[in-house]
């Protein structure tokens, strides 16, 4: 790292000056989200000492048991973002419906979606977790705000990112002009630019998928993984390594750092659901980041950022990462469709 430290604020101001694509409200929004992530990081670090581990005894709209930290992180993000005048409304994995900015505050032109604490099953076991966020513009100014305003394809995102709470706390951001990473300097309390122009290599020898679901997969996914497992002697002619952290933020962070492919496909356990992960606050923001870093993101058949969402908590199958591998998995699905 160079000796000249560039803060998140300076980065955003310079981006605005050079490229003019970060309006004031968007800059404020990103800074407020980053500040909220700092507060969440402090809670995460306290662990047992802060009485933040364990379940909260409630369920979210998807019927998943909420952890204390899911709720704390959600509250931190809402409180931090509602008064600044940059937002019209927020949507979250942990809230059934959208949270419109109360009348006592001015309404801004942006919409914010988040998964406040991704990888909840890892909270209590001290494994990396994170916050994922997606920013959309409010398109319709004619009427009050509703869930419909959020239902925009991912390609319309104005910004997206995540903060990973791991051995280091890192904020990863795109405003549609590449991907930058900022590491939290705990002594100074500031975000320092530590990587710019992040690029995912097109080829990889590393895949991430929950193998325990193998018997429930569709044929194209099974074919792809079988070929990886066959190693040097198989059709791929090389050995593959496997990683599965069960925190999408941590798996995606590894892929942004050294490449790889991540999959959470549709499976037969709950055939009526398109997948486990959520389109609007998991797949879309991660998709925007991965594409901005030269990777590829599909649901097995189509580009995820082109999908028209039909509801806030919509689920989707996800295949993302190194371009040539994602392309291969997508081809296997399309070939199987043709044969059928
Ligand atoms: P969460 O948002 O409730 O934490 O669930 C999403 C997480 C992802 O981070 C991760 O990739 C996946 O669920 C792990 O699922 P599984 O436990 O089925 O392997
Ligand atoms: Mg999640």
């Amino acid at each position: 790292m160079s000796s000249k430290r560039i803060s998140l604020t300076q980065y955003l101001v310079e981006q605005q000056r050079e490229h003019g694509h970060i309006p004031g409200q968007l800059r404020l929004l990103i800074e407020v989200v980053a500040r909220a992530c700092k507060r969440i990081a402090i809670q995460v670090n306290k662990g047992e000492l802060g009485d933040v581990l364990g379940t909260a005894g409630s369920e979210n709209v998807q019927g998943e048991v909420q952890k204390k930290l899911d709720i704390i992180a959600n509250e931190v993000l809402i409180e931090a973002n509602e008064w600044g005048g940059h937002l019209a409304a927020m949507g979250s994995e942990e809230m059934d419906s959208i949270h419109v900015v109360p009348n006592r505050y001015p309404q801004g032109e942006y919409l914010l979606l988040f998964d406040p604490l991704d990888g909840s099953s890892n909270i209590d076991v001290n494994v990396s977790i994170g916050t994922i966020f997606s920013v959309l513009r409010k398109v319709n100014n004619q009427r009050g705000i509703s869930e419909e305003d959020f239902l925009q394809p991912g390609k319309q995102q104005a910004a997206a990112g995540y903060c990973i709470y791991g051995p280091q706390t890192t904020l990863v951001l795109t405003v549609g002009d590449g991907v930058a990473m900022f590491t939290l300097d705990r002594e100074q309390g500031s975000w320092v630019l530590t990587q710019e122009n992040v690029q995912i290599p097109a080829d990889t020898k590393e895949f991430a998928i929950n193998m325990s679901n193998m018997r429930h997969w569709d044929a194209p996914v099974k074919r792809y993984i079988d070929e990886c497992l066959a190693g040097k002697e198989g059709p791929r002619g090389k050995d593959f390594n496997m990683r599965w952290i069960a925190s999408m933020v941590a798996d995606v962070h590894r892929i942004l750092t050294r490449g790889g492919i991540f999959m959470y496909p549709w499976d037969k356990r709950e055939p009526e659901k398109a997948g486990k992960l959520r389109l609007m606050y998991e797949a879309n923001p991660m998709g925007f980041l991965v594409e901005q870093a030269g990777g590829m993101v599909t649901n097995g058949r189509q580009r995820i950022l082109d999908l028209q969402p039909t509801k806030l908590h919509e689920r989707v199958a996800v295949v993302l990462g190194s371009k040539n591998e994602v392309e291969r998995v997508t081809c296997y699905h399309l070939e199987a469709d043709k044969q059928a």
Side-chain angles (χ1 to χ4, degrees):
M1 210 182 88
S2 78
S3 54
K4 186 176 170 286
R5 289 162 61 109
I6 296 174
S7 67
L8 175 64
T9 305
Q10 189 179 350
Y11 172 84
L12 293 172
V13 169
E14 282 173 3
Q15 286 283 313
Q16 163 64 12
R17 233 178 252 151
E18 278 170 40
H19 310 288
H21 59 191
I22 312 182
Q25 280 197 11
L26 181 58
R27 201 178 90 207
L28 177 62
L29 190 164
I30 292 168
E31 296 215 52
V32 170
V33 169
R35 211 173 303 140
C37 289
K38 257 191 253 176
R39 286 184 55 197
I40 297 170
I42 292 168
Q43 296 299 323
V44 169
N45 285 163
K46 282 187 181 153
E48 200 71 79
L49 301 178
D51 191 27
V52 298
L53 303 185
T55 61
S58 49
E59 277 187 3
N60 66 14
V61 65
Q62 359 248 340
E64 298 159 340
V65 175
Q66 290 176 306
K67 297 284 176 77
K68 284 184 197 165
L69 263 176
D70 285 325
I71 294 177
I72 293 169
N74 193 60
E75 280 167 5
V76 167
L77 281 158
I78 301 252
E79 263 177 46
N81 276 289
E82 54 174 20
W83 52 270
H86 51 287
L87 280 187
M90 292 173 252
S92 161
E93 178 175 326
E94 303 305 336
M95 299 190 295
D96 299 9
S97 45
I98 61 164
H99 176 92
V100 179
V101 166
N103 285 336
R104 59 183 181 279
Y105 302 122
Q107 267 209 4
E109 30 180 303
Y110 289 96
L111 306 171
L112 177 64
L113 285 147
F114 43 82
D115 177 355
L117 222 284
D118 179 61
S120 307
S121 72
N122 282 323
I123 294 173
D124 295 347
V125 292
N126 205 352
V127 170
S128 298
I129 48 181
T131 297
I132 310 174
F133 65 94
S134 160
V135 182
L136 294 164
R137 274 178 216 91
K138 185 177 172 235
V139 184
N140 190 331
N141 289 314
Q142 306 308 307
R143 50 172 172 74
I145 186 93
S146 75
E147 184 174 315
E148 226 173 282
D149 293 280
F150 284 81
L151 305 181
Q152 304 176 33
K155 62 184 170 200
Q156 282 172 222
Q157 289 170 104
Y162 64 82
C163 178
I164 178 166
Y165 313 111
Q168 301 110 44
T169 297
T170 309
L171 182 76
V172 180
L173 175 73
T174 185
V175 287
D177 188 19
V179 177
M181 296 191 180
F182 303 84
T183 305
L184 180 62
D185 178 334
R186 286 184 183 276
E187 278 106 79
Q188 306 285 334
S190 61
W191 295 103
V192 181
L193 179 66
T194 41
Q195 213 186 327
E196 254 185 306
N197 302 321
V198 174
Q199 285 295 320
I200 301 174
D203 291 299
T204 181
K205 290 175 162 188
E206 202 160 58
F207 66 85
I209 191 165
N210 185 336
M211 293 285 287
S212 70
N213 298 324
M214 190 174 221
R215 68 191 185 285
H216 306 295
W217 295 339
D218 235 353
V221 177
K222 184 129 196 324
R223 173 182 170 193
Y224 175 77
I225 296 296
D226 281 345
E227 290 180 0
C228 293
L229 295 178
K232 261 202 192 98
E233 293 73 37
R236 301 298 310 276
K238 58 182 182 181
D239 289 334
F240 278 78
N241 186 20
M242 194 200 90
R243 288 284 184 276
W244 184 251
I245 303 175
S247 285
M248 190 192 200
V249 272
D251 280 311
V252 170
H253 195 69
R254 183 188 60 256
I255 289 171
L256 285 171
T257 308
R258 66 175 189 215
I261 179 170
F262 168 96
M263 281 184 273
Y264 212 121
W266 170 90
D267 69 48
K268 293 187 196 99
R269 286 173 300 167
E270 292 184 285
E272 70 292 350
K273 289 185 184 153
K276 175 181 179 181
L277 300 176
R278 276 56 50 121
L279 173 62
M280 302 218 58
Y281 40 80
E282 292 178 327
N284 274 344
M286 291 311 204
F288 193 16
L289 288 165
V290 167
E291 282 196 3
Q292 283 293 315
M296 187 172 166
V297 189
T298 74
N299 63 356
R301 292 175 171 86
Q302 290 158 279
R303 180 185 179 219
I304 282 189
L305 298 194
D306 283 337
L307 300 176
Q308 172 61 51
T310 57
K311 56 179 189 211
L312 192 61
H313 298 289
E314 184 163 338
R315 289 170 189 260
V316 68
V318 177
V319 183
L320 65 77
S322 292
K323 198 161 175 283
N324 293 338
E325 295 301 307
V326 177
E327 225 157 52
R328 180 180 285 269
V329 175
T330 307
C331 281
Y332 287 3
H333 279 88
L334 298 178
E335 270 172 32
D337 289 352
K338 233 191 226 160
Q339 278 162 20

